[in-house]
Amino acid sequence: MSVEHNTREFDPEIVTDFRERMSYGSYLDLDTLLGAQKPVSSPEHHDELLFIIQHQTTELWLKLVLHELRAATAFLRQDQIAPALKCIARVKHIQRTLTEQWSVLATLTPSEYAEFRHFLGNSSGFQSYQYRAVEFALGNKNRRMLSVFESDPDALALLSEMLAAPSIYDEFLRYLHRQGFSIPASVLERDVTEAWVLHPELVATFRGIYENAGEHWGAYEACEELVDLEDNFQLWRFRHLKTVQRIIGMKTGTGGSSGAAFLQKALELTFFPELFAVRTELGT
């Protein structure tokens, strides 16, 4: 059926009466979602809506990232490697979206941001508890971060839970142990509330997996998926840094950090160092 006058006719089965039916808007609670943007600048600055939506959409994606990472960790705990990798694959696509999203915020010029930045007070992305929860889920834990959320009981409860729980890497190493790979007891019994640091003794185990990939394909594939996760996270951090430098230069952050200098240090943080260290050993 061709379109006439550049107008589509309604299919006769299309539902139009939602007085007693669930609609798209009611299912998604769009009234709440679209009413959550509340600029604080006075008079309201045109570009503040961009700033708010940029961060709100990031928080929505972080909610899904955390949901998938927690599911992947649970699957590893149950020795279900295939569904764990499916969850990780979804996270990787979300990470790419989050990284590309910085290009939208980068359309905010320094002069435009300066016109409403002072209205933000001490609010800062540094205070994103979901971002911290994702870091914790990946193993980069820092108990001091909890102090930022002492005035938010729900956020503090989530981060306390994530701090005490094994990271996805902890569960992966436990999975490898149950599959017969050599994982030292000191690793399996470590204090999971501490940030993960390089364990050189694990490099030999990963070398064996990489040098015999056909024999250990499941473990080999999982290693590469985790490397993708860290690569993507670091790309997001780098793009964050460059966007901040582009907009505010080397100014201090609204939350009290040193700004770009603080973000630069984050590029030195790692999640799965042995998976990168093993690359130096391969082929030698």
Side-chain angles (χ1 to χ4, degrees):
M1 182 173 62
S2 62
V3 173
E4 296 184 2
H5 307 297
N6 203 31
T7 303
R8 289 185 301 172
E9 292 295 328
F10 265 27
D11 290 336
E13 295 83 7
I14 288 179
V15 178
T16 59
D17 184 355
F18 294 98
R19 286 172 294 183
E20 297 181 1
R21 293 183 176 96
M22 179 184 293
S23 69
Y24 176 81
S26 61
Y27 173 65
L28 296 177
D29 196 10
L30 287 183
D31 287 344
T32 300
L33 182 64
L34 299 179
Q37 296 75 48
K38 298 179 171 62
V40 297
S41 55
S42 181
E44 184 177 321
H45 194 285
H46 172 82
D47 295 309
E48 191 180 355
L49 185 61
L50 159 65
F51 193 79
I52 292 172
I53 290 177
Q54 170 84 24
H55 290 85
Q56 287 182 339
T57 53
T58 295
E59 291 297 332
L60 287 172
W61 283 124
L62 287 175
K63 182 174 183 176
L64 185 55
V65 167
L66 188 58
H67 175 71
E68 298 295 340
L69 287 178
R70 297 180 84 172
T73 302
F75 281 129
L76 288 172
R77 193 178 301 120
Q78 300 160 10
D79 293 338
Q80 297 185 55
I81 190 69
L85 295 185
K86 172 66 182 342
C87 292
I88 292 173
R90 180 172 291 165
V91 170
K92 288 162 53 180
H93 284 288
I94 299 168
Q95 287 178 308
R96 294 188 187 101
T97 297
L98 284 168
T99 298
E100 285 300 314
Q101 190 170 292
W102 286 117
S103 65
V104 182
L105 187 60
T107 64
L108 181 66
T109 67
S111 56
E112 290 166 344
Y113 184 44
E115 291 172 353
F116 67 88
R117 186 180 188 236
H118 58 285
F119 287 103
L120 304 181
N122 292 124
S123 62
S124 166
F126 181 83
Q127 298 143 18
S128 169
Y129 70 86
Q130 289 196 125
Y131 175 82
R132 298 304 169 198
V134 169
E135 283 191 321
F136 284 12
L138 294 173
N140 184 220
K141 300 185 179 184
N142 185 342
R143 185 182 296 274
R144 288 191 63 190
M145 288 296 178
L146 270 61
S147 64
V148 178
F149 306 97
E150 290 177 350
S151 61
D152 186 340
D154 290 340
L156 183 61
L158 172 64
L159 288 174
S160 297
E161 177 187 350
M162 298 301 297
L163 182 71
S167 70
I168 192 170
Y169 197 41
D170 287 312
E171 292 295 358
F172 177 56
L173 293 172
R174 294 175 184 184
Y175 163 81
L176 290 180
H177 173 69
R178 292 190 296 273
Q179 300 303 308
F181 293 97
S182 176
I183 307 295
S186 59
V187 171
L188 298 172
E189 299 167 4
R190 81 180 194 91
D191 180 358
V192 298
T193 68
E194 296 293 329
W196 181 270
V197 294
L198 176 68
H199 289 73
E201 62 270 32
L202 287 175
V203 176
T205 298
F206 286 122
R207 180 171 184 170
I209 291 172
Y210 274 83
E211 289 181 338
N212 301 278
E215 181 181 351
H216 308 303
W217 187 262
Y220 170 73
E221 182 181 17
C223 288
E224 285 297 283
E225 290 292 304
L226 291 175
V227 168
D228 286 345
L229 273 186
E230 177 153 348
D231 263 356
N232 288 348
F233 206 100
Q234 293 290 50
L235 287 172
W236 184 91
R237 282 171 166 165
F238 179 75
R239 194 62 191 276
H240 184 192
L241 166 66
K242 301 310 291 184
T243 302
V244 168
Q245 287 178 327
R246 176 180 179 137
I247 298 175
I248 67 169
M250 300 304 291
K251 292 185 180 74
T252 57
T254 50
S257 76
S258 55
F262 184 80
L263 297 176
Q264 180 75 50
K265 294 176 184 177
L267 294 174
E268 300 176 18
L269 302 176
T270 185
F271 299 118
F272 322 122
E274 297 81 7
L275 294 179
F276 290 87
V278 71
R279 283 151 163 76
T280 305
E281 304 298 322
L282 295 174
T284 60

